[in-house]
PDB file of all heavy atoms in Angstrom:
ATOM      1  N   ARG A 163      -4.364  17.244 -19.891  1.00  0.00           N
ATOM      2  CA  ARG A 163      -4.517  17.901 -21.206  1.00  0.00           C
ATOM      3  C   ARG A 163      -5.960  18.370 -21.323  1.00  0.00           C
ATOM      4  O   ARG A 163      -6.915  17.617 -21.055  1.00  0.00           O
ATOM      5  CB  ARG A 163      -4.099  17.080 -22.344  1.00  0.00           C
ATOM      6  CG  ARG A 163      -4.277  17.680 -23.749  1.00  0.00           C
ATOM      7  CD  ARG A 163      -3.552  16.861 -24.738  1.00  0.00           C
ATOM      8  NE  ARG A 163      -3.989  15.439 -24.736  1.00  0.00           N
ATOM      9  CZ  ARG A 163      -5.028  15.059 -25.497  1.00  0.00           C
ATOM     10  NH1 ARG A 163      -5.730  15.850 -26.240  1.00  0.00           N
ATOM     11  NH2 ARG A 163      -5.360  13.746 -25.454  1.00  0.00           N
ATOM     12  N   GLN A 164      -6.122  19.632 -21.755  1.00  0.00           N
ATOM     13  CA  GLN A 164      -7.469  20.116 -22.079  1.00  0.00           C
ATOM     14  C   GLN A 164      -7.896  19.717 -23.487  1.00  0.00           C
ATOM     15  O   GLN A 164      -7.023  19.839 -24.402  1.00  0.00           O
ATOM     16  CB  GLN A 164      -7.540  21.661 -21.937  1.00  0.00           C
ATOM     17  CG  GLN A 164      -8.916  22.220 -22.087  1.00  0.00           C
ATOM     18  CD  GLN A 164      -9.035  23.677 -21.774  1.00  0.00           C
ATOM     19  OE1 GLN A 164      -7.951  24.377 -21.583  1.00  0.00           O
ATOM     20  NE2 GLN A 164     -10.229  24.216 -21.632  1.00  0.00           N
ATOM     21  N   THR A 165      -9.081  19.147 -23.605  1.00  0.00           N
ATOM     22  CA  THR A 165      -9.527  18.728 -24.950  1.00  0.00           C
ATOM     23  C   THR A 165     -10.817  19.423 -25.243  1.00  0.00           C
ATOM     24  O   THR A 165     -11.371  20.173 -24.479  1.00  0.00           O
ATOM     25  CB  THR A 165      -9.842  17.161 -24.912  1.00  0.00           C
ATOM     26  OG1 THR A 165     -10.980  16.881 -24.088  1.00  0.00           O
ATOM     27  CG2 THR A 165      -8.662  16.429 -24.355  1.00  0.00           C
ATOM     28  N   GLU A 166     -11.373  19.210 -26.410  1.00  0.00           N
ATOM     29  CA  GLU A 166     -12.669  19.866 -26.813  1.00  0.00           C
ATOM     30  C   GLU A 166     -13.815  19.417 -25.894  1.00  0.00           C
ATOM     31  O   GLU A 166     -14.700  20.115 -25.676  1.00  0.00           O
ATOM     32  CB  GLU A 166     -12.989  19.450 -28.287  1.00  0.00           C
ATOM     33  CG  GLU A 166     -12.121  20.175 -29.251  1.00  0.00           C
ATOM     34  CD  GLU A 166     -12.483  19.817 -30.728  1.00  0.00           C
ATOM     35  OE1 GLU A 166     -13.430  19.108 -30.905  1.00  0.00           O
ATOM     36  OE2 GLU A 166     -11.790  20.322 -31.633  1.00  0.00           O
ATOM     37  N   LYS A 167     -13.700  18.178 -25.288  1.00  0.00           N
ATOM     38  CA  LYS A 167     -14.812  17.633 -24.550  1.00  0.00           C
ATOM     39  C   LYS A 167     -14.576  17.833 -23.053  1.00  0.00           C
ATOM     40  O   LYS A 167     -15.412  17.465 -22.227  1.00  0.00           O
ATOM     41  CB  LYS A 167     -14.959  16.147 -24.901  1.00  0.00           C
ATOM     42  CG  LYS A 167     -15.409  15.908 -26.265  1.00  0.00           C
ATOM     43  CD  LYS A 167     -15.616  14.440 -26.510  1.00  0.00           C
ATOM     44  CE  LYS A 167     -16.068  14.122 -27.981  1.00  0.00           C
ATOM     45  NZ  LYS A 167     -16.294  12.739 -28.215  1.00  0.00           N
ATOM     46  N   GLY A 168     -13.346  18.286 -22.663  1.00  0.00           N
ATOM     47  CA  GLY A 168     -13.055  18.427 -21.308  1.00  0.00           C
ATOM     48  C   GLY A 168     -11.572  18.278 -21.004  1.00  0.00           C
ATOM     49  O   GLY A 168     -10.705  18.966 -21.652  1.00  0.00           O
ATOM     50  N   TYR A 169     -11.268  17.376 -20.053  1.00  0.00           N
ATOM     51  CA  TYR A 169      -9.887  17.181 -19.579  1.00  0.00           C
ATOM     52  C   TYR A 169      -9.614  15.689 -19.539  1.00  0.00           C
ATOM     53  O   TYR A 169     -10.413  14.930 -19.233  1.00  0.00           O
ATOM     54  CB  TYR A 169      -9.616  17.892 -18.255  1.00  0.00           C
ATOM     55  CG  TYR A 169      -9.815  19.419 -18.322  1.00  0.00           C
ATOM     56  CD1 TYR A 169     -11.027  19.986 -18.159  1.00  0.00           C
ATOM     57  CD2 TYR A 169      -8.659  20.219 -18.475  1.00  0.00           C
ATOM     58  CE1 TYR A 169     -11.222  21.387 -18.258  1.00  0.00           C
ATOM     59  CE2 TYR A 169      -8.843  21.561 -18.470  1.00  0.00           C
ATOM     60  CZ  TYR A 169     -10.077  22.134 -18.440  1.00  0.00           C
ATOM     61  OH  TYR A 169     -10.232  23.546 -18.420  1.00  0.00           O
ATOM     62  N   THR A 170      -8.359  15.379 -19.716  1.00  0.00           N
ATOM     63  CA  THR A 170      -7.877  13.991 -19.489  1.00  0.00           C
ATOM     64  C   THR A 170      -6.480  13.967 -18.838  1.00  0.00           C
ATOM     65  O   THR A 170      -5.630  14.798 -19.142  1.00  0.00           O
ATOM     66  CB  THR A 170      -7.898  13.205 -20.843  1.00  0.00           C
ATOM     67  OG1 THR A 170      -7.600  11.877 -20.546  1.00  0.00           O
ATOM     68  CG2 THR A 170      -6.859  13.791 -21.796  1.00  0.00           C
ATOM     69  N   VAL A 171      -6.272  13.039 -17.925  1.00  0.00           N
ATOM     70  CA  VAL A 171      -5.004  12.798 -17.347  1.00  0.00           C
ATOM     71  C   VAL A 171      -4.104  12.039 -18.347  1.00  0.00           C
ATOM     72  O   VAL A 171      -4.499  10.948 -18.785  1.00  0.00           O
ATOM     73  CB  VAL A 171      -5.071  12.038 -16.063  1.00  0.00           C
ATOM     74  CG1 VAL A 171      -3.720  11.695 -15.510  1.00  0.00           C
ATOM     75  CG2 VAL A 171      -5.901  12.795 -14.992  1.00  0.00           C
ATOM     76  N   THR A 172      -3.008  12.649 -18.691  1.00  0.00           N
ATOM     77  CA  THR A 172      -2.064  11.981 -19.686  1.00  0.00           C
ATOM     78  C   THR A 172      -0.860  11.332 -18.999  1.00  0.00           C
ATOM     79  O   THR A 172      -0.171  10.546 -19.651  1.00  0.00           O
ATOM     80  CB  THR A 172      -1.590  13.049 -20.677  1.00  0.00           C
ATOM     81  OG1 THR A 172      -0.885  14.034 -19.981  1.00  0.00           O
ATOM     82  CG2 THR A 172      -2.726  13.625 -21.430  1.00  0.00           C
ATOM     83  N   GLY A 173      -0.654  11.607 -17.793  1.00  0.00           N
ATOM     84  CA  GLY A 173       0.524  10.978 -17.038  1.00  0.00           C
ATOM     85  C   GLY A 173       0.483  11.311 -15.602  1.00  0.00           C
ATOM     86  O   GLY A 173      -0.132  12.262 -15.170  1.00  0.00           O
ATOM     87  N   PHE A 174       1.170  10.515 -14.810  1.00  0.00           N
ATOM     88  CA  PHE A 174       1.238  10.707 -13.303  1.00  0.00           C
ATOM     89  C   PHE A 174       2.627  10.286 -12.850  1.00  0.00           C
ATOM     90  O   PHE A 174       3.098   9.204 -12.944  1.00  0.00           O
ATOM     91  CB  PHE A 174       0.260   9.801 -12.687  1.00  0.00           C
ATOM     92  CG  PHE A 174       0.046  10.013 -11.191  1.00  0.00           C
ATOM     93  CD1 PHE A 174       0.364  11.158 -10.542  1.00  0.00           C
ATOM     94  CD2 PHE A 174      -0.323   8.943 -10.337  1.00  0.00           C
ATOM     95  CE1 PHE A 174       0.266  11.321  -9.189  1.00  0.00           C
ATOM     96  CE2 PHE A 174      -0.457   9.124  -9.030  1.00  0.00           C
ATOM     97  CZ  PHE A 174      -0.161  10.320  -8.372  1.00  0.00           C
ATOM     98  N   ASP A 175       3.386  11.285 -12.444  1.00  0.00           N
ATOM     99  CA  ASP A 175       4.678  11.112 -11.771  1.00  0.00           C
ATOM    100  C   ASP A 175       4.488  10.896 -10.342  1.00  0.00           C
ATOM    101  O   ASP A 175       4.157  11.872  -9.626  1.00  0.00           O
ATOM    102  CB  ASP A 175       5.564  12.333 -12.042  1.00  0.00           C
ATOM    103  CG  ASP A 175       5.749  12.670 -13.550  1.00  0.00           C
ATOM    104  OD1 ASP A 175       5.668  11.804 -14.402  1.00  0.00           O
ATOM    105  OD2 ASP A 175       5.970  13.887 -13.894  1.00  0.00           O
ATOM    106  N   GLN A 176       4.692   9.696  -9.849  1.00  0.00           N
ATOM    107  CA  GLN A 176       4.287   9.346  -8.518  1.00  0.00           C
ATOM    108  C   GLN A 176       5.537   9.190  -7.645  1.00  0.00           C
ATOM    109  O   GLN A 176       6.524   8.663  -7.975  1.00  0.00           O
ATOM    110  CB  GLN A 176       3.529   8.036  -8.592  1.00  0.00           C
ATOM    111  CG  GLN A 176       2.800   7.694  -7.327  1.00  0.00           C
ATOM    112  CD  GLN A 176       1.809   6.542  -7.426  1.00  0.00           C
ATOM    113  OE1 GLN A 176       1.328   6.027  -6.428  1.00  0.00           O
ATOM    114  NE2 GLN A 176       1.582   6.112  -8.641  1.00  0.00           N
ATOM    115  N   VAL A 177       5.349   9.760  -6.336  1.00  0.00           N
ATOM    116  CA  VAL A 177       6.336   9.585  -5.288  1.00  0.00           C
ATOM    117  C   VAL A 177       6.535   8.096  -4.932  1.00  0.00           C
ATOM    118  O   VAL A 177       5.462   7.375  -4.790  1.00  0.00           O
ATOM    119  CB  VAL A 177       5.999  10.439  -4.126  1.00  0.00           C
ATOM    120  CG1 VAL A 177       6.922  10.205  -2.983  1.00  0.00           C
ATOM    121  CG2 VAL A 177       5.932  11.925  -4.458  1.00  0.00           C
TER     122      VAL A 177
END
Side-chain angles (χ1 to χ4, degrees):
R163 181 167 53 88
Q164 187 171 9
T165 70
E166 291 181 1
K167 297 181 179 179
Y169 296 83
T170 186
V171 174
T172 59
F174 184 31
D175 304 331
Q176 193 168 172
V177 173

